[in-house]
Amino acid sequence: MTTRRTTAATALTAALVTGTALAAAGWGPDTASARTPGLTVPDHARITVHGRGYGHGHGLSQYGAQGAARQGRTAKQIVRFYYPGTRAGTTKSIVRVHLTADTDDNTTVLARPGLLVRNLETGTVRTLPTKGAAARATRWRLSAGPGGVTEVSYLAGGWHTWKSLNGDAELRAPGPLRLVLPSGAVTYRGSLQSRTVPGGAPRHRVTVNRLPLDGYVRGVIPREMPASWKPAALRAQAIAARTYAAFEVADSTNRVYQLCDTSSCQVYGGMSAEVSTTNAATAATAGQIRTFNGSPAFTQFSASNGGWMAKGAQPYLVDAKDPFDPWAGNPYRAWTAHVSSAAIERAFPALGNLTSIAVTRRDGNGQWNGRVLDMRLVGSKGTATPSGDTFRSIFGLRSTWFSLSVG
């Protein structure tokens, strides 16, 4: 069984990389020069940007995964294509996620049966009281007190301190916890920790969600991919997200948390974000990751690569044509944006009046000879040489795979 799956994946990868089916589909080699002729820019010009893809283009394309699933590819075939040279593996671990939306230095949860507090320094666990004044509590809170203690308080008409614990602490229960955020209450699996950040301001605390890896993945997939997509695409996303997290955990030296809940890591919405289809994808791939040299791979992914994967920092993040990404339902397979010459002059004031723009280096892959690596802007007072990624970031472009024209 393993041999048959390996052979199928090898054949799939070979067909895609060599381009046997691509030429017939109109995705043959692009012979354009790597240098785009400089554009003369008149005063008050509007520069039109034609682009492909959305994001860095490394590894899995989410729209590509959906395109592949629509063609009947399995999740295993999808991740093998997007991360060639990696192997199937499994992992079970606990992750710690910084919940960035909790900004008030407190970790506050709604009261619920079975609520416990654990001292992270001593390991001592206490059941929070349900008698006396605390029986009327609607919320419990962990906050920083003087001398590094954690004050455990409850809300019943006003806030009342129940105990002071030496060091950091966490709240846990037999089931999920409802964390109170400025935007409202969000449900999380696992425990919620009030943690001191080394070198941080006095009494500054962050809230960290500690939970099993697969519980974390359940809260990631619906925030990273439409839950209505094909099961194989959702399963491929589950494997990629789980592997990415496992890599970050293995690579982290941060003793407080290893992951965040934003696009700087992976977008994570806790149990409140979970959907039945994405939970099913997590369960169907439980523990599955991609490995390289026996360790979790760095499984980067982006919304769309526009039809060509971008080479990354790892040997399995290859530059190869992708026939799955540019399907009719992908809104990012081609896009258009506009940037005014005045906006460029504001972003690069040393230029003076912008007179010309040139792309001086591309990666050589696909339409227009690929993604922009370096540019040269010339003005009446000086020049600037931003990277394609810098230009993209400043002007909010969807990717670095673009061409420019005036008008």
Side-chain angles (χ1 to χ4, degrees), residues 8-349:
T10 302
L12 174 65
T13 302
L16 298 178
V17 173
T18 59
T20 302
L22 295 171
W27 287 82
D30 191 305
T31 57
S33 168
R35 181 185 291 270
T36 300
L39 296 172
T40 299
V41 181
D43 289 344
H44 312 297
R46 184 179 78 158
I47 296 155
T48 299
V49 186
H50 295 284
R52 303 189 67 91
Y54 196 157
H56 49 61
H58 303 312
L60 181 140
S61 159
Q62 293 169 313
Y63 272 92
Q66 173 70 347
R70 285 165 54 87
Q71 293 185 27
R73 302 308 197 270
T74 66
K76 289 182 179 179
Q77 289 176 319
I78 293 169
V79 293
R80 284 170 177 165
F81 171 65
Y82 284 111
Y83 306 110
T86 63
R87 294 179 177 272
T90 59
T91 188
K92 289 183 179 179
S93 59
I94 301 295
V95 299
R96 299 189 308 273
V97 189
H98 177 203
L99 303 181
T100 59
D102 201 357
T103 56
D104 66 356
D105 293 324
N106 300 313
T107 300
T108 306
V109 303
L110 299 182
R112 57 148 296 156
L115 196 58
L116 308 169
V117 62
R118 183 170 81 97
N119 187 319
L120 297 180
E121 192 166 292
T122 65
T124 303
V125 178
R126 291 183 173 91
T127 301
L128 297 182
T130 56
K131 295 180 179 180
R136 299 190 302 274
T138 57
R139 299 181 181 187
W140 285 87
R141 180 178 73 186
L142 304 179
S143 55
V149 305
T150 297
E151 294 183 346
V152 184
S153 308
Y154 61 90
L155 180 64
W159 283 103
H160 308 276
T161 300
W162 176 65
K163 295 281 187 184
S164 292
L165 309 177
N166 290 325
D168 294 354
E170 70 176 7
L171 293 166
R172 54 168 62 176
L177 295 172
R178 295 274 287 167
L179 178 67
V180 179
L181 299 174
S183 58
V186 177
T187 304
Y188 290 95
R189 297 176 182 272
S191 64
L192 293 170
Q193 302 182 334
S194 172
R195 300 301 304 269
T196 303
V197 178
R203 298 202 183 189
H204 172 57
R205 293 286 182 95
V206 296
T207 296
V208 174
N209 184 199
R210 182 180 183 275
L211 75 167
L213 176 56
D214 271 22
Y216 164 76
V217 172
R218 286 172 180 259
V220 168
I221 311 174
R223 289 295 175 90
E224 290 285 1
M225 180 176 278
S228 61
W229 278 9
K230 296 287 187 180
L234 297 176
R235 292 175 184 182
Q237 178 69 71
I239 295 169
R242 186 182 295 109
T243 308
Y244 185 95
F247 177 90
E248 291 294 301
V249 168
D251 194 54
S252 176
T253 58
N254 188 327
R255 68 176 184 84
V256 177
Y257 55 84
Q258 308 124 329
L259 297 160
C260 64
D261 59 353
T262 71
S263 58
S264 295
C265 303
Q266 299 183 105
V267 183
Y268 168 63
M271 191 175 179
S272 289
E274 294 179 17
V275 178
S276 61
T277 53
T278 53
N279 279 355
T282 304
T285 62
Q288 295 178 25
I289 61 170
R290 302 304 296 177
T291 67
F292 186 75
N293 290 338
S295 299
F298 184 42
T299 49
Q300 288 181 285
F301 55 87
S302 60
S304 169
N305 60 35
W308 203 300
M309 291 181 278
K311 187 174 181 60
Q314 303 294 337
Y316 45 82
L317 298 176
V318 300
D319 50 349
K321 291 178 181 178
D322 181 356
F324 302 126
D325 181 275
W327 57 285
N330 179 358
Y332 308 122
R333 59 186 175 141
W335 49 266
T336 302
H338 300 282
V339 179
S340 69
S341 59
I344 297 175
E345 290 161 0
R346 286 193 298 271
F348 299 93

